Amino acid sequence: MDDELETCWLCGENGAQDPLDTHHIFGGPDRRKSEKYGLKVKLCHNRCHIFGPMSAHQNAETALSLHQYGQRKWMEEQGKTIDDFRREFGRNYL
Ligand SMILES: [Zn+2]
Ligand SMILES: [Zn+2]
């Protein structure tokens, strides 16, 4: 198991109360790219992933923060620029 993924990206909980899900940072048509590049985070299933008011699938600000995090991570790990990101993912979140 990957140590850095064992706590919730949003709140830092360890999943004991609310099991951790894997969330693909870029969903829809880009889900496969999220898979390919490892652009995934752990989120508490109810509170932070699907249902809570701040959850990734309900809250636009949380989703944007995740997209920004994912873009920075991709650029850093792949040694790429914003233009490269725009070419691969179709937009720029930064
Ligand atoms: Zn998700
Ligand atoms: Zn959480």
Side-chain angles (χ1 to χ4, degrees):
M1 199 183 269
D2 192 340
D3 283 344
E4 71 180 332
L5 295 178
E6 284 179 25
T7 55
C8 175
W9 180 86
L10 192 60
C11 75
E13 288 289 336
N14 65 6
Q17 300 295 322
D18 192 355
L20 296 174
D21 289 344
T22 298
H23 169 74
H24 290 70
I25 294 175
F26 301 102
D30 289 329
R31 187 181 166 97
R32 293 170 85 181
K33 289 176 190 166
S34 294
E35 193 69 52
K36 174 179 171 186
Y37 294 117
L39 300 173
K40 298 180 280 187
V41 294
K42 294 291 185 188
L43 292 168
C44 306
H45 173 71
N46 284 298
R47 180 171 58 174
C48 302
H49 187 203
I50 309 284
F51 299 113
M54 292 301 293
S55 68
H57 288 276
Q58 303 292 337
N59 187 285
E61 265 180 52
T62 300
L64 176 61
S65 298
L66 270 164
H67 287 147
Q68 291 175 331
Y69 167 79
Q71 179 172 352
R72 286 201 186 91
K73 182 171 152 71
W74 184 83
M75 288 166 54
E76 199 177 295
E77 290 179 356
Q78 307 297 321
K80 303 283 195 183
T81 65
I82 286 176
D83 282 343
D84 294 328
F85 184 86
R86 201 184 272 117
R87 268 191 291 276
E88 180 76 3
F89 290 89
R91 57 174 295 187
N92 171 38
Y93 296 100
L94 301 179

